Amino acid sequence: MKLLTVAFLILLGCILTHSQISLIYAAMGLELWFQKMIPSLLPFMILSGIMVRMKLTDKAAMVIYPVVRPVFRVRKNVCYAMLMGFLCGFPMGARVVDDLYIRDMISRREAEYLLAFCNNIGPVYFCSFVLPLLGRKLVLPYLFGMYGIPLLYGFILRYTLFQDLPPFREPEGSPAKRHFHPEFSELIICEAAPAKRSFAEQLLEETDNSIHTSVQSILSLGGYMILFNLMNLIPHILLGHPLPFLSPLLEITGGLKLLGTSAPLYSLLALIFGGFSCIAQTYNCIGNSDLSIGSHVRHKLFLTMLGGIYYLCWFLVFPASFLR
């Protein structure tokens, strides 16, 4: 704790003494949040929040459930979290898992399973921002490295560490809701009250709740992006320039822009890990529950190692097309 306090005091001192440079880094984080995070993430947050609150997730999961069910042997709500995690991207995967878990729509073991492989960079962000930024012409090999490996990892986990998950069976009756007292860490379980409103009234209320919660969450994520971009200020002042290889580990989007096309393999592996800002944002999504951020980080590190093995195999088998 003392080391952390000293680090933040140093950062505060750097901001006060080098306000122009700190303004550049803060503005970069704010710009990336406004241009990339809000348009690509906020609509999904709102829509998914409505679906979870209205208990429509099992119906949405039917899009892929006939294919996922025999392979992964999971329930419909787990399938929905997989769909949103891979389709909408980080940190939407963690957000959906937490929403489902605190409403008892999935179990703790199912939530831990999902957090192990369903919280990755989004495909829209990856294809529209990352690949053009890195100047890569091929698409499919990078898509497999980014999404195929986590999917295979989830398949292996299902039949090894998480083979105890209940296959197919859906819970009977209305689920209990999990609430966390704002001042205490105790988990309070209370039965869901029967609905007494019309569908339209419930839809309007839950839409309003989802918008408020989503906007609050997106504001928090913007704060993390600004904070972790500002941490580039310390090496910049000490060395006279930022450390491009450190930047993606602090905040992935700003770090990729600083790194450019100089080290594409490093950038791709950093994307799998996500960086410390992504970890902090994931903790922001699951912090009100008893889910472990440490377990999530360990799985991300292992996925990064698997990504390194994949790119090594690509280099050894197809050297002519490596990183094209």
Side-chain angles (χ1 to χ4, degrees), residues 69-294:
R69 172 179 171 168
V71 178
F72 287 87
R73 297 173 58 84
V74 293
R75 299 189 292 128
K76 290 178 184 176
N77 285 332
V78 177
C79 184
Y80 171 77
M82 292 173 61
L83 174 66
M84 296 301 289
F86 277 92
L87 183 64
C88 304
F90 158 88
M92 196 63 200
R95 171 68 184 273
V96 172
V97 169
D98 187 69
D99 281 348
L100 293 171
Y101 174 56
I102 64 176
R103 289 169 175 81
D104 259 5
M105 297 170 73
I106 60 174
S107 68
R108 188 175 191 275
R109 283 290 287 168
E110 287 171 329
E112 291 173 341
Y113 171 64
L114 289 165
L115 284 176
F117 70 102
C118 287
N119 192 41
N120 308 297
I121 298 295
V124 174
Y125 170 91
F126 185 71
C127 293
S128 64
F129 175 74
V130 174
L131 292 182
L133 179 69
L134 298 179
R136 304 300 99 182
K137 297 179 181 179
L138 299 177
V139 175
L140 291 180
Y142 299 108
L143 286 176
F144 180 82
M146 195 70 230
Y147 306 105
I149 290 176
L151 199 61
L152 289 174
Y153 184 60
F155 173 77
I156 294 171
L157 286 178
R158 179 64 183 88
Y159 293 93
T160 53
L161 295 179
F162 292 91
Q163 58 183 325
D164 58 319
L165 294 182
F168 312 145
R169 188 177 65 255
E170 302 293 334
E172 297 180 358
S174 60
K177 290 184 179 180
R178 295 175 180 262
H179 300 282
F180 290 83
H181 193 280
E183 297 180 3
F184 305 97
S185 60
E186 296 175 333
L187 178 64
I188 304 168
I189 305 294
C190 61
E191 292 299 324
K196 297 180 180 179
R197 300 159 296 163
S198 67
F199 179 82
E201 290 174 332
Q202 186 181 3
L203 177 61
L204 289 173
E205 181 178 342
E206 298 301 356
T207 299
D208 186 67
N209 292 335
S210 180
I211 290 173
H212 279 285
T213 304
S214 299
V215 170
Q216 183 179 4
S217 297
I218 204 75
L219 286 173
S220 297
L221 300 184
Y224 282 113
M225 291 185 71
I226 293 171
L227 174 62
F228 281 90
N229 267 296
L230 272 173
M231 290 183 180
N232 286 295
L233 186 62
I234 297 177
H236 191 144
I237 293 172
L238 295 176
L239 303 175
H241 56 82
L243 283 177
F245 283 87
L246 176 64
S247 297
L249 295 180
L250 294 175
E251 201 286 311
I252 189 66
T253 305
L256 290 179
K257 288 195 70 174
L258 290 174
L259 198 58
T261 59
S262 59
L265 179 58
Y266 177 78
S267 296
L268 291 165
L269 294 178
L271 277 164
I272 298 174
F273 177 65
F276 297 119
S277 177
C278 291
I279 293 171
Q281 292 172 47
T282 299
Y283 180 75
N284 175 262
C285 292
I286 67 173
N288 288 329
S289 68
D290 57 347
L291 298 174
S292 171
I293 189 64

